[in-house]
C-alpha cells in the first residue's frame, strides 16, 4: 500500500531556532499534502494544505510566517517551524493524497514528528 | 458531535480476549481508515476500507463498514499486551479531500 514517511521522527531544538520537517510520499506522487498538529488530548488540527508548485493554504489562526511550507516536488513537502518557542512543542503529522482511477483519491498519514522546543 | 467519533473512549480487556471498537460518522465518505498510535509514538496505518466494501481482514484485525448506518467497527482478535495503544478512525469525505480524525479509543490489554 501507499506509504508516507516523515523525517525526523523526533527533534529537540533550542528556543529561537528553526526546524525543518520533511514529508515524503514513497511510492506515489502527491500533488496535495496536508500538515496537521496533534494536541495532548490527541485530536488533530489541520494547519495547512500544501500544493505542489504553488503556495500553501493556511487554516485560520495558523501563522504563515512561522510555519513555512514548501511543496517543491511531487513527493516532498517540508514544514519549517521558524523561531521555535516551547509552545510549538507538539506532534506534527503530514498526510498525502494518492489519486487513483476515475479521480478517486485516498489520503494517508505519515507517522508524525515529535518536536520539543527547550 | 464530531465526525469520526470512536466508541468507547477507553477499553480494558485481558490478553486473549477480543476487542471491538466502533466509529460513527455523519457525512458520505470515500473511505475510512483505522490507525493505531502508541503513547508518544507515531501513527501506524492498519486498514483502509472503501465505501463500496463491507469487510476487510488483516491478520488479527477485522474491519466492517456499514454505510447505511454510517459506522465502522474494528475487531482485534486474541488480543496481546502489545496491542495496547490508541486506535483512531479517520474518514475521508466524498465532498473533498479533508480527513476527519477523532480522539480515538484507548485500548489497554492486561497481561
Amino acid at each position: 500500500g501507499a506509504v508516507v514517511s516523515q523525517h525526523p521522527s523526533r527533534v529537540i531544538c533550542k528556543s529561537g531556532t528553526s526546524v525543518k520537517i520533511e514529508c515524503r510520499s514513497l511510492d506515489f506522487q502527491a500533488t496535495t499534502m496536508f500538515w496537521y498538529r496533534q494536541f495532548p488530548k490527541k485530536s488533530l488540527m489541520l494547519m495547512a494544505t500544501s500544493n505542489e508548485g504553488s503556495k500553501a493554504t493556511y487554516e485560520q489562526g495558523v501563522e504563515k510566517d512561522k510555519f513555512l511550507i514548501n511543496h517543491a516536488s511531487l513527493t516532498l513537502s517540508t514544514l519549517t517551524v521558524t523561531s521555535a518557542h516551547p509552545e510549538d512543542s507538539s506532534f506534527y503529522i503530514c498526510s498525502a493524497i494518492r489519486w487513483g482511477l476515475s479521480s478517486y483519491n485516498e489520503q494517508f498519514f505519515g507517522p508524525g514528528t515529535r518536536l520539543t522546543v527547550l | 458531535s464530531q465526525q469520526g467519533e470512536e466508541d468507547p473512549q477507553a477499553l480494558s480487556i485481558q490478553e486473549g480476549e477480543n476487542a471491538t471498537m466502533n466509529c460513527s460518522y455523519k457525512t458520505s465518505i470515500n473511505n475510512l481508515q483505522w490507525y493505531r498510535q502508541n503513547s508518544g509514538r507515531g501513527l501506524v496505518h492498519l486498514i483502509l476500507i472503501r465505501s463500496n466494501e463491507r469487510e476487510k481482514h488483516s491478520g488479527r484485525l477485522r474491519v466492517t463498514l456499514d454505510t447505511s448506518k454510517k459506522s465502522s467497527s474494528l475487531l482485534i482478535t486474541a488480543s496481546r499486551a502489545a496491542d495496547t495503544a490508541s486506535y483512531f478512525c479517520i474518514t475521508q469525505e466524498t465532498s473533498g479531500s479533508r480527513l476527519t480524525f477523532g480522539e480515538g479509543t484507548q485500548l489497554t490489554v492486561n497481561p
Side-chain angles (χ1 to χ4, degrees):
Chain A
V3 177
V4 176
S5 70
Q6 284 184 237
H7 177 79
S9 58
R10 297 186 179 193
V11 58
I12 300 173
C13 69
K14 294 182 179 180
S15 186
T17 60
S18 294
V19 174
K20 180 184 286 187
I21 303 169
E22 294 183 350
C23 176
R24 293 182 185 274
S25 56
L26 297 184
D27 58 359
F28 64 98
Q29 293 183 332
T31 55
T32 303
M33 294 182 175
F34 298 92
W35 286 96
Y36 296 82
R37 182 172 175 176
Q38 187 177 34
F39 290 98
K41 67 174 183 177
K42 297 186 181 296
S43 61
L44 284 187
M45 180 194 80
L46 176 64
M47 298 176 64
T49 302
S50 172
N51 296 297
E52 188 268 337
S54 64
K55 292 184 179 180
T57 304
Y58 290 82
E59 297 299 302
Q60 190 173 7
V62 178
E63 299 176 60
K64 301 178 182 181
D65 295 332
K66 181 165 187 61
F67 299 100
L68 300 179
I69 292 173
N70 183 23
H71 195 152
S73 78
L74 288 173
T75 59
L76 173 65
S77 175
T78 61
L79 169 68
T80 301
V81 183
T82 63
S83 187
H85 291 123
E87 56 264 32
D88 297 326
S89 297
S90 192
F91 201 65
Y92 293 87
I93 302 171
C94 73
S95 67
I97 289 181
R98 179 180 71 180
W99 289 92
L101 298 176
S102 303
S103 298
Y104 179 75
N105 70 83
E106 295 168 348
Q107 192 174 154
F108 298 89
F109 280 101
T113 297
R114 178 162 298 284
L115 170 63
T116 303
V117 184
L118 302 177
Chain B
S1 58
Q2 188 177 3
Q3 176 101 334
E5 193 169 296
E6 295 89 349
D7 168 54
Q9 292 187 338
L11 180 62
S12 182
I13 60 174
Q14 295 299 123
E15 217 168 16
E17 294 180 340
N18 296 340
T20 300
M21 289 160 272
N22 302 298
C23 170
S24 61
Y25 57 93
K26 292 186 173 181
T27 62
S28 295
I29 62 171
N30 276 335
N31 60 66
L32 182 148
Q33 301 180 63
W34 285 92
Y35 282 80
R36 63 172 281 166
Q37 184 178 33
N38 291 74
S39 179
R41 305 295 294 274
L43 293 171
V44 175
H45 181 254
L46 297 178
I47 288 182
L48 179 149
I49 185 166
R50 299 186 175 91
S51 59
N52 61 350
E53 298 174 317
R54 292 296 167 259
E55 186 172 313
K56 289 188 82 168
H57 296 257
S58 176
R60 293 183 295 114
L61 305 180
R62 173 176 170 259
V63 169
T64 64
L65 178 64
D66 187 335
T67 53
S68 65
K69 295 181 179 179
K70 291 186 169 53
S71 68
S72 173
S73 68
L74 170 66
L75 169 67
I76 303 174
T77 60
S79 64
R80 306 166 182 168
D83 294 330
T84 295
S86 291
Y87 290 83
F88 300 90
C89 76
I90 301 168
T91 55
Q92 183 172 347
E93 300 177 23
T94 55
S95 60
S97 299
R98 291 191 179 190
L99 302 183
T100 304
F101 191 92
E103 294 185 12
T105 293
Q106 175 59 49
L107 173 66
T108 302
V109 181
N110 301 301

